Amino acid sequence: MPQIRKILIANRGEIALRIMRTAREMDIATVAVFSEADRASPHVRYADEAVCIGAAPSSESYLNIDKILEICEELGVDAIHPGYGFLSENAGFAKRVKEAGLIFIGPSPESIEIMGSKLAAKRAASKYNIPMVPGTPDAIDDRNEAKRIADSIGYPILIKASAGGGGKGMRVVENEAEFDEQMDRAVSEAQAAFGDGSVFIEKYITSPKHIEIQVLGDHYGNIIHLFERECSIQRRHQKVVEEAPSISLTPEIREEMGRCAVDVARSCNYYGAGTVEFIMDENRNFYFLEMNTRLQVEHPVTEMITGVDLVKEMIRIAEGHPLAIAQEDLQIRGHAIEIRVYAEDASNHFLPDIGTLHTYVKPDGNGVRVDDGFEQGMEIPIYYDPMIAKLITYGENRETAIRKMMRAIDEYQITGVQTTLPFCRFVMQHEVFVNGSFDTNFVSRHFNPDVLSTKNDEEVAGLAALISALLSDTLHESKPVQNEEVNANASKWRARRFTAH
Ligand code: ADP
């Protein structure tokens, strides 16, 4: 069995660090790659070795397959972890890695290929008894036929790009009169984003929950699931808050969804870590959406409730070990919530807000985990996803996890850019979130930017930081309590300002 001794992480920021930490625990050396924009990033310093792979745009750096393979050869690397995004779901890359005699820490190129196409994924999964959203089984080439199908399914319908990802190429059609216009838009969006204009139709589920199942498979056909993650709080069809377990699942539905997820993975001979996504309607009918063949951004909530280090399992599977965990060994313990701290302005349509992190102080303490890739004084580059950090809290039940999250958000001090922190605090205290009746329309139904005064908040946080800096200068170590009090009061002040009207 090959033992991995040196891993190159073909990624950046928080996920590169996250992977390196586990590698270090396993006595595996790490190689970081970085673009010119990321020279000062913590992931570069953390690694045993680090190599600049090019200019800031990802096409010239993190997506440069030749360069990455060259570095592996030069530095005697024996495995590559792709993280998420960038090359993680690129079947061609996985193949090249294999051909170069290296281990790809992920599934086979064939599994990536099948699941990379939403239509091919549905075809593969149809070998098993897995519920699918009503819709067209193939890409649309005859519009009149597609309209007939849409009519029989019933409006509203959703046009989706087969190669889709990141919520792109998706269009809701309310009635037949809109059909052609929305179709043209979806096709051109899909063509521009993925170089593939194939689209298909699904029934639009009007009040769905997005629930996904984490799976792990080895090279010997063993596949297990690690329960669900609830990811319904989204903006632009993209997740901002995730939790495990879901307040909406009964043990019976959980078991059935878990079985379906394992079958989806089986349908493409899956090994490694993967995620099978479902949507669930108001009557708790669930349908298979797609499978993501990589480590997911929100994987920490699963780690918290199961005690499994998913990156460690990925590495062990890649080395050829059989799964060390059986389905019966797994149990849900407690509750975990993750919020994504994006440099975005929630009061301005969640548009990215790029700038310098003038203040950056992380929360801490019992039940709080922060996975991040930035430090105070650093700039958020415009070239990549504007996620600053993931804040995860864990408690013995959902209420405790929510309380810890509110406390942690209040402790988090970020100035210089607008962030999703105030929005996430708004979510945590909203009754629809607390009672679990929310769905993917939470933002459009319940969020109004007027409930936040984020601009003021930045000023308040800046002021709090200034006051505490002044106090620590004048009081030194002698009266740290007062210093904390200032922060605590500033937090309460901020907390009140976020309260929903
Ligand atoms: P992507 O790969 O672009 O992320 P997904 O198929 O995973 O696309 O869908 C992303 C989100 O879009 C889902 O979480 C859900 O909120 C919404 N969505 C997808 N399909 C449907 C549908 N048939 N009805 C209602 N909402 C949907």
Side-chain angles (χ1 to χ4, degrees), residues 438-484:
F438 59 95
D439 58 40
T440 58
N441 300 305
F442 179 88
V443 169
S444 58
R445 288 211 186 119
H446 304 291
F447 176 63
N448 171 353
D450 296 345
V451 298
L452 313 175
S453 47
T454 51
K455 296 250 161 35
N456 290 341
D457 173 56
E458 189 189 321
E459 283 157 24
V460 172
L463 193 63
L466 184 69
I467 294 170
S468 65
L470 283 173
L471 275 174
S472 57
D473 271 0
T474 50
L475 302 174
H476 302 289
E477 310 282 0
S478 58
K479 285 189 182 165
V481 176
Q482 289 194 21
N483 197 342
E484 277 161 23

Side-chain angles (χ1 to χ4, degrees), residues 118 158 160 165-167 170 202-203 205 210 234 277 290:
K118 290 187 206 285
L158 188 63
K160 285 171 104 169
M170 225 187 282
E202 268 180 8
K203 179 164 184 55
I205 313 283
H210 174 119
Q234 306 180 344
E277 298 190 333
E290 64 162 351

Side-chain angles (χ1 to χ4, degrees), residues 7-9 20 30-34 43-44 47-52:
I7 294 180
L8 178 142
I9 295 91
M20 287 177 199
T30 53
V31 177
V33 290
F34 61 96
H43 84 271
V44 177
D48 298 309
E49 291 166 278
V51 184
C52 180

Side-chain angles (χ1 to χ4, degrees), residues 36-108:
E36 277 160 17
D38 284 338
R39 208 168 271 283
S41 291
H43 84 271
V44 177
R45 283 201 308 279
Y46 192 91
D48 298 309
E49 291 166 278
V51 184
C52 180
I53 46 169
S58 37
S59 58
E60 292 171 44
S61 49
Y62 297 105
L63 296 175
N64 188 340
I65 297 178
D66 290 334
K67 184 84 188 163
I68 290 169
L69 293 178
E70 228 172 79
I71 294 165
C72 289
E73 163 111 55
E74 266 166 40
L75 300 184
V77 167
D78 38 33
I80 297 182
H81 197 306
Y84 55 71
F86 297 124
L87 296 167
S88 62
E89 288 174 291
N90 182 324
F93 176 60
K95 205 157 162 246
R96 292 276 310 272
V97 172
K98 236 176 153 176
E99 284 165 1
L102 302 168
I103 295 173
F104 180 74
I105 304 175
S108 68

